[in-house]
Amino acid sequence: PTQAPPPARLPGRYPRQGRASVNGGTRSPVAVRPDQPGNYAPMHATLYLGWSRGAARQRYDFRSGKGARTASQIYLQSGAQQRRNESGAMVTVVPAKGECVCDTAIAGNMHIDSFAADALDPLQLPPEEGGLAYLGRVRLSPIDDPSAPNRTVLADHWLKWAFHFLVDADPASPSLGLPLRLYGHLGVRQIFSNWRVGDPTKEKPDVWRGGGGGG
């Protein structure tokens, strides 16, 4: 990797509002500090983000390899809950079973600024203690993007605790400044593509109400 000067580094941020395709894998069993081997199941999903001044919203629509929606998870946290480190609510919808279950969220919404200057991080640790670190600018070849398998890009590589976050740093790329990959050692592996930045309710009006539909 090369070391881009600080003013040229793309910050590790998600857009406040938007949607993206997500492919990769998810680990089971889920564990903060795994002490046993895990299994990885393929992930095919659409991610929706809807942050506003008073609330954080996030949704995953999970799909089978053939594209059928198998489940949805919708997360909602108020600003007050985030500041108190309360995880908020999670709604799980399983269309094939006719199920819709509301629970306390496992971990709350991911912070859109988790890999940047995150005002919601109460610790603000230095890099050597697990805080945010810049690992350099790398070339991803290929990018593992199913919609464009031969595309190569530059990415700024950030690390926080056990999670790696790669942001598109290629000036010629349509996804400049947007997430490309998120992964953790022995954890989730996510590859982002087909970003559309903007209010997802304009495309999917019932996105925060558990609706099905396409996407």
Side-chain angles (χ1 to χ4, degrees):
T2 60
Q3 292 295 312
R9 298 171 186 173
L10 275 293
R13 291 193 173 100
Y14 291 89
R16 295 184 65 85
Q17 300 191 39
R19 58 153 286 184
S21 299
V22 184
N23 291 281
T26 182
R27 185 186 190 277
S28 63
V30 176
V32 175
R33 297 181 182 275
D35 58 3
Q36 59 182 302
N39 297 312
Y40 286 88
M43 175 190 293
H44 306 286
T46 302
L47 167 67
Y48 299 89
L49 296 171
W51 279 55
S52 63
R53 184 171 298 177
R57 298 177 179 88
Q58 176 183 326
R59 171 173 176 157
Y60 286 100
D61 279 350
F62 297 99
R63 302 186 180 279
S64 68
K66 296 182 179 179
R69 185 169 70 109
T70 56
S72 297
Q73 289 179 339
I74 305 170
Y75 300 85
L76 173 64
Q77 263 183 311
S78 69
Q81 286 175 320
Q82 288 184 317
R83 290 188 292 273
R84 294 195 300 265
N85 202 28
E86 297 176 2
S87 58
M90 176 180 72
V91 177
T92 302
V93 181
V94 184
K97 297 182 179 179
E99 293 182 352
C100 181
V101 180
C102 184
D103 294 303
T104 300
I106 297 171
N109 284 20
M110 61 187 182
H111 295 175
I112 55 174
D113 290 335
S114 289
F115 296 87
D118 186 4
L120 293 171
D121 181 353
L123 299 179
Q124 302 293 337
L125 295 174
E128 61 273 16
E129 295 180 16
L132 184 65
Y134 178 70
L135 301 188
R137 183 161 291 178
V138 298
R139 181 174 296 277
L140 301 179
S141 177
I143 194 177
D144 297 337
D145 181 347
S147 65
N150 296 319
R151 186 164 72 99
T152 61
V153 297
L154 297 175
D156 280 336
H157 187 171
W158 299 93
L159 173 68
K160 190 171 185 180
W161 191 52
F163 292 97
H164 297 257
F165 193 68
L166 280 74
V167 180
D168 195 333
D170 187 343
S173 173
S175 56
L176 176 66
L178 293 172
L180 295 175
R181 294 183 185 178
L182 170 69
Y183 61 93
H185 178 59
L186 300 178
V188 69
R189 301 165 180 170
Q190 294 185 344
I191 300 166
F192 303 98
S193 60
N194 301 319
W195 277 103
R196 299 181 192 175
V197 177
D199 185 354
T201 63
K202 294 181 179 179
E203 175 184 342
K204 188 180 179 75
D206 60 354
V207 64
W208 307 125
R209 298 196 298 271

